[in-house]
Amino acid sequence: MAKIRVRLVKSLIRCLPRHRATVRALGLRKIGSYNDLEANPSVMGMVRAVAHLVSVEEIA
């Protein structure tokens, strides 16, 4: 599977609690933090749910 790098680019202040939990489950804490993950359907669904808070790039 492909790998993706998910980076937190917006603040979690005034976000829904479920969005905060999703960002935390992706392994992100502070703005600018990133995590390299496998691009499986469950991770992509989580990324899609918080797409307004994160940036995604494919890595080799």
Side-chain angles (χ1 to χ4, degrees):
M1 288 211 167
K3 293 197 67 125
I4 57 171
R5 177 168 288 162
V6 182
R7 182 180 306 268
L8 185 62
V9 294
K10 294 226 174 167
S11 174
L12 297 177
I13 295 173
R14 299 188 66 176
C15 285
L16 294 174
R18 67 179 184 215
H19 288 175
R20 290 180 193 207
T22 302
V23 168
R24 186 67 192 104
L26 287 169
L28 306 174
R29 285 183 175 258
K30 297 180 176 182
I31 294 176
S33 65
Y34 66 89
N35 198 7
D36 298 336
L37 302 165
E38 293 289 331
N40 58 37
S42 62
V43 169
M44 295 309 292
M46 292 167 65
V47 168
R48 197 172 304 116
V50 293
H52 59 289
L53 301 172
V54 299
S55 69
V56 181
E57 62 184 55
E58 191 170 338
I59 57 177

Short mmCIF file of all heavy atoms in Angstrom, two decimals:
data_model
loop_
_atom_site.label_atom_id
_atom_site.label_comp_id
_atom_site.label_asym_id
_atom_site.label_seq_id
_atom_site.Cartn_x
_atom_site.Cartn_y
_atom_site.Cartn_z
N MET A 1 0.83 -1.19 0.00
CA MET A 1 0.00 0.00 0.00
C MET A 1 0.88 1.25 0.00
O MET A 1 2.01 1.23 0.45
CB MET A 1 -0.88 0.05 1.24
CG MET A 1 -1.99 -0.92 1.25
SD MET A 1 -3.36 -0.24 2.14
CE MET A 1 -4.58 -1.40 1.62
N ALA A 2 0.29 2.32 -0.46
CA ALA A 2 1.00 3.59 -0.48
C ALA A 2 1.05 4.17 0.93
O ALA A 2 0.26 3.81 1.80
CB ALA A 2 0.28 4.56 -1.40
N LYS A 3 2.01 5.02 1.15
CA LYS A 3 2.12 5.72 2.43
C LYS A 3 1.78 7.18 2.22
O LYS A 3 2.05 7.74 1.17
CB LYS A 3 3.52 5.58 2.98
CG LYS A 3 3.84 4.13 3.37
CD LYS A 3 5.01 4.03 4.26
CE LYS A 3 4.73 4.61 5.58
NZ LYS A 3 4.92 3.81 6.74
N ILE A 4 1.15 7.77 3.24
CA ILE A 4 0.81 9.19 3.18
C ILE A 4 1.38 9.88 4.42
O ILE A 4 1.58 9.25 5.46
CB ILE A 4 -0.72 9.42 3.10
CG1 ILE A 4 -1.44 8.78 4.28
CG2 ILE A 4 -1.27 8.92 1.78
CD1 ILE A 4 -2.89 9.16 4.38
N ARG A 5 1.65 11.16 4.28
CA ARG A 5 2.07 11.99 5.41
C ARG A 5 0.93 12.95 5.71
O ARG A 5 0.54 13.75 4.87
CB ARG A 5 3.33 12.75 5.07
CG ARG A 5 3.78 13.68 6.18
CD ARG A 5 5.16 14.20 5.96
NE ARG A 5 6.09 13.08 6.20
CZ ARG A 5 7.34 13.06 5.78
NH1 ARG A 5 7.82 14.07 5.10
NH2 ARG A 5 8.11 12.02 6.04
N VAL A 6 0.40 12.85 6.91
CA VAL A 6 -0.71 13.69 7.35
C VAL A 6 -0.14 14.73 8.30
O VAL A 6 0.53 14.37 9.28
CB VAL A 6 -1.79 12.85 8.06
CG1 VAL A 6 -2.95 13.71 8.47
CG2 VAL A 6 -2.25 11.71 7.18
N ARG A 7 -0.39 16.01 8.02
CA ARG A 7 0.15 17.10 8.84
C ARG A 7 -1.01 17.97 9.34
O ARG A 7 -1.90 18.33 8.59
CB ARG A 7 1.09 17.95 8.01
CG ARG A 7 1.74 19.08 8.78
CD ARG A 7 2.67 19.90 7.90
NE ARG A 7 3.66 19.10 7.23
CZ ARG A 7 4.88 18.83 7.71
NH1 ARG A 7 5.23 19.32 8.87
NH2 ARG A 7 5.71 18.09 7.03
N LEU A 8 -1.00 18.29 10.64
CA LEU A 8 -2.01 19.15 11.23
C LEU A 8 -1.67 20.60 10.90
O LEU A 8 -0.59 21.07 11.24
CB LEU A 8 -2.07 18.95 12.75
CG LEU A 8 -3.17 19.69 13.48
CD1 LEU A 8 -4.55 19.25 13.00
CD2 LEU A 8 -3.05 19.48 14.97
N VAL A 9 -2.57 21.30 10.21
CA VAL A 9 -2.29 22.67 9.77
C VAL A 9 -3.22 23.71 10.39
O VAL A 9 -2.97 24.89 10.28
CB VAL A 9 -2.32 22.80 8.23
CG1 VAL A 9 -1.22 22.01 7.60
CG2 VAL A 9 -3.66 22.39 7.68
N LYS A 10 -4.30 23.27 11.02
CA LYS A 10 -5.23 24.20 11.66
C LYS A 10 -5.45 23.79 13.11
O LYS A 10 -5.30 22.64 13.48
CB LYS A 10 -6.57 24.22 10.93
CG LYS A 10 -6.49 24.76 9.53
CD LYS A 10 -7.60 25.72 9.30
CE LYS A 10 -7.40 26.36 7.93
NZ LYS A 10 -8.57 27.05 7.52
N SER A 11 -5.85 24.76 13.91
CA SER A 11 -6.06 24.54 15.33
C SER A 11 -7.32 23.71 15.60
O SER A 11 -8.28 23.75 14.83
CB SER A 11 -6.18 25.89 16.04
OG SER A 11 -6.51 25.71 17.39
N LEU A 12 -7.28 23.00 16.71
CA LEU A 12 -8.44 22.22 17.12
C LEU A 12 -9.39 22.99 18.02
O LEU A 12 -10.41 22.46 18.46
CB LEU A 12 -7.97 20.95 17.85
CG LEU A 12 -7.15 20.00 17.00
CD1 LEU A 12 -6.68 18.83 17.85
CD2 LEU A 12 -7.95 19.52 15.82
N ILE A 13 -9.07 24.26 18.29
CA ILE A 13 -9.96 25.09 19.10
C ILE A 13 -11.27 25.28 18.33
O ILE A 13 -11.27 25.50 17.13
CB ILE A 13 -9.30 26.45 19.39
CG1 ILE A 13 -8.07 26.26 20.25
CG2 ILE A 13 -10.29 27.41 20.06
CD1 ILE A 13 -7.26 27.51 20.45
N ARG A 14 -12.37 25.16 19.01
CA ARG A 14 -13.73 25.29 18.46
C ARG A 14 -14.08 24.20 17.47
O ARG A 14 -14.98 24.36 16.66
CB ARG A 14 -13.93 26.67 17.81
CG ARG A 14 -13.77 27.82 18.82
CD ARG A 14 -14.13 29.12 18.23
NE ARG A 14 -15.57 29.09 17.93
CZ ARG A 14 -16.26 30.12 17.46
NH1 ARG A 14 -15.65 31.25 17.23
NH2 ARG A 14 -17.54 30.04 17.23
N CYS A 15 -13.39 23.07 17.53
CA CYS A 15 -13.74 21.91 16.71
C CYS A 15 -14.65 20.98 17.51
O CYS A 15 -14.65 21.01 18.73
CB CYS A 15 -12.49 21.13 16.31
SG CYS A 15 -11.56 21.93 15.03
N LEU A 16 -15.38 20.17 16.79
CA LEU A 16 -16.22 19.18 17.45
C LEU A 16 -15.35 18.17 18.19
O LEU A 16 -14.24 17.85 17.74
CB LEU A 16 -17.06 18.44 16.42
CG LEU A 16 -18.10 19.25 15.67
CD1 LEU A 16 -18.74 18.42 14.58
CD2 LEU A 16 -19.14 19.77 16.63
N PRO A 17 -15.82 17.66 19.31
CA PRO A 17 -15.03 16.67 20.06
C PRO A 17 -14.68 15.44 19.22
O PRO A 17 -13.60 14.87 19.38
CB PRO A 17 -15.94 16.30 21.23
CG PRO A 17 -16.79 17.50 21.42
CD PRO A 17 -17.01 18.08 20.05
N ARG A 18 -15.55 15.02 18.33
CA ARG A 18 -15.24 13.84 17.52
C ARG A 18 -14.14 14.15 16.51
O ARG A 18 -13.37 13.27 16.14
CB ARG A 18 -16.48 13.29 16.84
CG ARG A 18 -17.08 14.20 15.80
CD ARG A 18 -18.29 13.54 15.17
NE ARG A 18 -18.78 14.38 14.12
CZ ARG A 18 -20.05 14.51 13.82
NH1 ARG A 18 -20.95 13.84 14.49
NH2 ARG A 18 -20.43 15.30 12.85
N HIS A 19 -14.03 15.41 16.06
CA HIS A 19 -12.93 15.78 15.18
C HIS A 19 -11.61 15.79 15.95
O HIS A 19 -10.58 15.36 15.43
CB HIS A 19 -13.18 17.14 14.53
CG HIS A 19 -14.25 17.11 13.50
ND1 HIS A 19 -14.70 18.24 12.88
CD2 HIS A 19 -14.99 16.10 12.99
CE1 HIS A 19 -15.64 17.93 12.02
NE2 HIS A 19 -15.85 16.63 12.09
N ARG A 20 -11.65 16.28 17.18
CA ARG A 20 -10.45 16.25 18.01
C ARG A 20 -9.99 14.82 18.23
O ARG A 20 -8.80 14.52 18.18
CB ARG A 20 -10.72 16.89 19.37
CG ARG A 20 -10.93 18.37 19.32
CD ARG A 20 -11.18 18.90 20.71
NE ARG A 20 -11.68 20.26 20.61
CZ ARG A 20 -11.53 21.15 21.55
NH1 ARG A 20 -10.92 20.84 22.66
NH2 ARG A 20 -12.00 22.37 21.39
N ALA A 21 -10.93 13.93 18.49
CA ALA A 21 -10.59 12.53 18.72
C ALA A 21 -10.01 11.89 17.46
O ALA A 21 -9.08 11.09 17.53
CB ALA A 21 -11.82 11.77 19.19
N THR A 22 -10.54 12.25 16.30
CA THR A 22 -10.04 11.70 15.05
C THR A 22 -8.62 12.17 14.78
O THR A 22 -7.76 11.37 14.39
CB THR A 22 -10.96 12.11 13.88
OG1 THR A 22 -12.28 11.64 14.15
CG2 THR A 22 -10.48 11.53 12.58
N VAL A 23 -8.35 13.45 15.01
CA VAL A 23 -7.00 13.98 14.82
C VAL A 23 -6.04 13.29 15.77
O VAL A 23 -4.93 12.91 15.38
CB VAL A 23 -6.99 15.51 15.02
CG1 VAL A 23 -5.57 16.04 15.13
CG2 VAL A 23 -7.73 16.19 13.88
N ARG A 24 -6.45 13.09 17.01
CA ARG A 24 -5.59 12.41 17.98
C ARG A 24 -5.35 10.96 17.56
O ARG A 24 -4.24 10.44 17.73
CB ARG A 24 -6.25 12.48 19.36
CG ARG A 24 -5.39 11.95 20.47
CD ARG A 24 -4.17 12.85 20.67
NE ARG A 24 -3.23 12.18 21.52
CZ ARG A 24 -2.10 11.61 21.11
NH1 ARG A 24 -1.78 11.63 19.84
NH2 ARG A 24 -1.30 11.02 21.95
N ALA A 25 -6.37 10.30 17.01
CA ALA A 25 -6.22 8.92 16.57
C ALA A 25 -5.28 8.81 15.37
O ALA A 25 -4.67 7.76 15.15
CB ALA A 25 -7.59 8.34 16.21
N LEU A 26 -5.17 9.88 14.60
CA LEU A 26 -4.21 9.91 13.49
C LEU A 26 -2.78 10.13 13.99
O LEU A 26 -1.85 10.08 13.20
CB LEU A 26 -4.59 11.00 12.49
CG LEU A 26 -5.81 10.73 11.63
CD1 LEU A 26 -6.22 11.99 10.88
CD2 LEU A 26 -5.54 9.59 10.66
N GLY A 27 -2.62 10.38 15.27
CA GLY A 27 -1.29 10.55 15.85
C GLY A 27 -0.79 11.97 15.81
O GLY A 27 0.42 12.20 15.90
N LEU A 28 -1.69 12.94 15.73
CA LEU A 28 -1.31 14.35 15.64
C LEU A 28 -1.65 15.05 16.94
O LEU A 28 -2.70 14.81 17.53
CB LEU A 28 -2.04 15.02 14.47
CG LEU A 28 -1.88 14.32 13.13
CD1 LEU A 28 -2.76 14.98 12.09
CD2 LEU A 28 -0.44 14.31 12.68
N ARG A 29 -0.76 15.96 17.36
CA ARG A 29 -1.00 16.69 18.60
C ARG A 29 -1.01 18.19 18.37
O ARG A 29 -2.02 18.84 18.57
CB ARG A 29 0.05 16.35 19.65
CG ARG A 29 -0.13 14.99 20.25
CD ARG A 29 0.91 14.77 21.33
NE ARG A 29 0.68 13.52 22.01
CZ ARG A 29 0.11 13.40 23.20
NH1 ARG A 29 -0.29 14.48 23.84
NH2 ARG A 29 -0.06 12.23 23.76
N LYS A 30 0.13 18.75 17.96
CA LYS A 30 0.25 20.19 17.82
C LYS A 30 0.22 20.57 16.34
O LYS A 30 0.47 19.73 15.47
CB LYS A 30 1.57 20.67 18.42
CG LYS A 30 1.68 20.45 19.90
CD LYS A 30 3.02 20.96 20.38
CE LYS A 30 3.11 20.83 21.89
NZ LYS A 30 4.38 21.36 22.39
N ILE A 31 -0.05 21.84 16.07
CA ILE A 31 0.00 22.34 14.70
C ILE A 31 1.41 22.13 14.17
O ILE A 31 2.40 22.42 14.84
CB ILE A 31 -0.39 23.82 14.64
CG1 ILE A 31 -1.85 23.98 15.02
CG2 ILE A 31 -0.15 24.39 13.25
CD1 ILE A 31 -2.31 25.42 15.09
N GLY A 32 1.50 21.59 12.98
CA GLY A 32 2.80 21.31 12.36
C GLY A 32 3.28 19.89 12.58
O GLY A 32 4.21 19.45 11.92
N SER A 33 2.66 19.17 13.50
CA SER A 33 3.07 17.78 13.71
C SER A 33 2.56 16.94 12.55
O SER A 33 1.56 17.26 11.90
CB SER A 33 2.53 17.25 15.04
OG SER A 33 1.13 17.19 15.03
N TYR A 34 3.28 15.87 12.26
CA TYR A 34 2.88 15.00 11.16
C TYR A 34 3.08 13.55 11.53
O TYR A 34 3.78 13.24 12.51
CB TYR A 34 3.65 15.34 9.88
CG TYR A 34 5.13 15.08 9.94
CD1 TYR A 34 5.65 13.84 9.58
CD2 TYR A 34 6.01 16.05 10.37
CE1 TYR A 34 7.01 13.59 9.65
CE2 TYR A 34 7.36 15.81 10.44
CZ TYR A 34 7.85 14.57 10.08
OH TYR A 34 9.20 14.32 10.16
N ASN A 35 2.47 12.68 10.77
CA ASN A 35 2.60 11.25 10.98
C ASN A 35 2.53 10.57 9.63
O ASN A 35 1.73 10.96 8.77
CB ASN A 35 1.48 10.74 11.89
CG ASN A 35 1.78 9.39 12.48
OD1 ASN A 35 2.88 8.87 12.33
ND2 ASN A 35 0.81 8.83 13.16
N ASP A 36 3.38 9.57 9.42
CA ASP A 36 3.39 8.79 8.20
C ASP A 36 2.55 7.54 8.43
O ASP A 36 2.82 6.77 9.36
CB ASP A 36 4.81 8.40 7.80
CG ASP A 36 5.66 9.63 7.52
OD1 ASP A 36 5.10 10.67 7.19
OD2 ASP A 36 6.90 9.52 7.62
N LEU A 37 1.53 7.35 7.60
CA LEU A 37 0.58 6.26 7.78
C LEU A 37 0.39 5.49 6.48
O LEU A 37 0.64 6.01 5.40
CB LEU A 37 -0.78 6.83 8.21
CG LEU A 37 -0.80 7.66 9.49
CD1 LEU A 37 -2.09 8.43 9.58
CD2 LEU A 37 -0.62 6.77 10.69
N GLU A 38 -0.09 4.26 6.60
CA GLU A 38 -0.49 3.47 5.43
C GLU A 38 -1.81 4.02 4.92
O GLU A 38 -2.68 4.38 5.69
CB GLU A 38 -0.68 2.00 5.81
CG GLU A 38 0.59 1.29 6.21
CD GLU A 38 1.53 1.05 5.04
OE1 GLU A 38 1.03 0.92 3.91
OE2 GLU A 38 2.74 1.02 5.27
N ALA A 39 -1.95 4.10 3.61
CA ALA A 39 -3.16 4.66 3.00
C ALA A 39 -4.22 3.58 2.83
O ALA A 39 -4.60 3.23 1.72
CB ALA A 39 -2.83 5.32 1.67
N ASN A 40 -4.73 3.04 3.94
CA ASN A 40 -5.80 2.05 3.85
C ASN A 40 -7.15 2.75 3.99
O ASN A 40 -7.22 3.92 4.34
CB ASN A 40 -5.59 0.95 4.91
CG ASN A 40 -5.55 1.48 6.31
OD1 ASN A 40 -6.27 2.42 6.65
ND2 ASN A 40 -4.70 0.91 7.14
N PRO A 41 -8.23 2.06 3.70
CA PRO A 41 -9.55 2.70 3.70
C PRO A 41 -9.94 3.35 5.03
O PRO A 41 -10.57 4.41 5.05
CB PRO A 41 -10.51 1.57 3.34
CG PRO A 41 -9.68 0.62 2.55
CD PRO A 41 -8.31 0.68 3.17
N SER A 42 -9.57 2.75 6.15
CA SER A 42 -9.96 3.32 7.43
C SER A 42 -9.23 4.64 7.69
O SER A 42 -9.83 5.61 8.16
CB SER A 42 -9.69 2.34 8.57
OG SER A 42 -8.32 2.04 8.65
N VAL A 43 -7.94 4.70 7.36
CA VAL A 43 -7.18 5.93 7.55
C VAL A 43 -7.67 7.00 6.59
O VAL A 43 -7.83 8.17 6.98
CB VAL A 43 -5.67 5.67 7.36
CG1 VAL A 43 -4.90 6.98 7.30
CG2 VAL A 43 -5.13 4.80 8.48
N MET A 44 -7.96 6.64 5.36
CA MET A 44 -8.44 7.63 4.39
C MET A 44 -9.80 8.18 4.80
O MET A 44 -10.08 9.36 4.59
CB MET A 44 -8.51 7.02 2.99
CG MET A 44 -7.15 6.63 2.44
SD MET A 44 -5.90 7.94 2.53
CE MET A 44 -6.56 9.09 1.36
N GLY A 45 -10.64 7.37 5.42
CA GLY A 45 -11.92 7.86 5.92
C GLY A 45 -11.74 8.85 7.06
O GLY A 45 -12.44 9.85 7.14
N MET A 46 -10.77 8.58 7.93
CA MET A 46 -10.48 9.51 9.02
C MET A 46 -9.94 10.82 8.48
O MET A 46 -10.32 11.89 8.94
CB MET A 46 -9.47 8.88 9.98
CG MET A 46 -10.02 7.71 10.76
SD MET A 46 -8.76 6.75 11.59
CE MET A 46 -8.15 7.91 12.77
N VAL A 47 -9.06 10.73 7.48
CA VAL A 47 -8.49 11.95 6.88
C VAL A 47 -9.60 12.75 6.21
O VAL A 47 -9.64 13.98 6.32
CB VAL A 47 -7.38 11.58 5.88
CG1 VAL A 47 -6.99 12.77 5.03
CG2 VAL A 47 -6.17 11.03 6.61
N ARG A 48 -10.51 12.09 5.53
CA ARG A 48 -11.60 12.78 4.86
C ARG A 48 -12.50 13.49 5.86
O ARG A 48 -13.02 14.57 5.58
CB ARG A 48 -12.41 11.77 4.03
CG ARG A 48 -13.29 12.41 2.99
CD ARG A 48 -13.95 11.39 2.06
NE ARG A 48 -12.96 10.54 1.41
CZ ARG A 48 -12.86 9.21 1.59
NH1 ARG A 48 -13.69 8.58 2.39
NH2 ARG A 48 -11.94 8.52 0.96
N ALA A 49 -12.67 12.92 7.05
CA ALA A 49 -13.53 13.53 8.06
C ALA A 49 -12.94 14.82 8.62
O ALA A 49 -13.68 15.71 9.03
CB ALA A 49 -13.77 12.54 9.20
N VAL A 50 -11.62 14.93 8.63
CA VAL A 50 -10.97 16.13 9.18
C VAL A 50 -10.13 16.83 8.11
O VAL A 50 -9.12 17.45 8.41
CB VAL A 50 -10.12 15.81 10.42
CG1 VAL A 50 -10.98 15.37 11.58
CG2 VAL A 50 -9.06 14.76 10.11
N ALA A 51 -10.57 16.76 6.88
CA ALA A 51 -9.81 17.32 5.75
C ALA A 51 -9.62 18.83 5.88
O ALA A 51 -8.66 19.38 5.35
CB ALA A 51 -10.52 17.00 4.43
N HIS A 52 -10.51 19.50 6.61
CA HIS A 52 -10.39 20.95 6.78
C HIS A 52 -9.32 21.32 7.81
O HIS A 52 -8.99 22.49 7.96
CB HIS A 52 -11.74 21.54 7.19
CG HIS A 52 -12.30 20.97 8.45
ND1 HIS A 52 -12.80 19.67 8.52
CD2 HIS A 52 -12.42 21.49 9.68
CE1 HIS A 52 -13.22 19.45 9.76
NE2 HIS A 52 -12.99 20.53 10.48
N LEU A 53 -8.76 20.33 8.50
CA LEU A 53 -7.76 20.58 9.53
C LEU A 53 -6.36 20.09 9.16
O LEU A 53 -5.38 20.50 9.78
CB LEU A 53 -8.16 19.90 10.84
CG LEU A 53 -9.49 20.32 11.45
CD1 LEU A 53 -9.83 19.42 12.62
CD2 LEU A 53 -9.44 21.76 11.88
N VAL A 54 -6.27 19.20 8.18
CA VAL A 54 -5.00 18.55 7.87
C VAL A 54 -4.63 18.73 6.40
O VAL A 54 -5.48 19.03 5.58
CB VAL A 54 -5.04 17.04 8.20
CG1 VAL A 54 -5.30 16.81 9.67
CG2 VAL A 54 -6.07 16.31 7.38
N SER A 55 -3.35 18.52 6.12
CA SER A 55 -2.90 18.42 4.74
C SER A 55 -2.33 17.02 4.55
O SER A 55 -1.78 16.44 5.49
CB SER A 55 -1.85 19.48 4.42
OG SER A 55 -0.65 19.21 5.09
N VAL A 56 -2.45 16.50 3.35
CA VAL A 56 -2.02 15.14 3.06
C VAL A 56 -1.13 15.16 1.84
O VAL A 56 -1.44 15.81 0.84
CB VAL A 56 -3.25 14.22 2.79
CG1 VAL A 56 -2.81 12.81 2.52
CG2 VAL A 56 -4.22 14.28 3.95
N GLU A 57 -0.03 14.42 1.92
CA GLU A 57 0.84 14.25 0.76
C GLU A 57 1.27 12.80 0.69
O GLU A 57 1.43 12.14 1.73
CB GLU A 57 2.04 15.18 0.82
CG GLU A 57 2.95 14.97 1.98
CD GLU A 57 4.06 15.98 2.04
OE1 GLU A 57 3.76 17.18 2.05
OE2 GLU A 57 5.22 15.56 2.07
N GLU A 58 1.43 12.30 -0.50
CA GLU A 58 1.87 10.93 -0.69
C GLU A 58 3.39 10.91 -0.64
O GLU A 58 4.06 11.78 -1.17
CB GLU A 58 1.38 10.41 -2.04
CG GLU A 58 1.57 8.93 -2.22
CD GLU A 58 0.88 8.39 -3.43
OE1 GLU A 58 -0.08 9.04 -3.92
OE2 GLU A 58 1.31 7.35 -3.93
N ILE A 59 3.93 9.90 0.06
CA ILE A 59 5.37 9.77 0.14
C ILE A 59 5.79 8.45 -0.50
O ILE A 59 4.99 7.51 -0.58
CB ILE A 59 5.87 9.86 1.60
CG1 ILE A 59 5.21 8.81 2.48
CG2 ILE A 59 5.64 11.24 2.16
CD1 ILE A 59 5.71 8.80 3.90
N ALA A 60 7.01 8.40 -0.96
CA ALA A 60 7.48 7.21 -1.71
C ALA A 60 7.85 6.11 -0.83
O ALA A 60 8.06 5.74 0.08
CB ALA A 60 8.67 7.59 -2.57
#
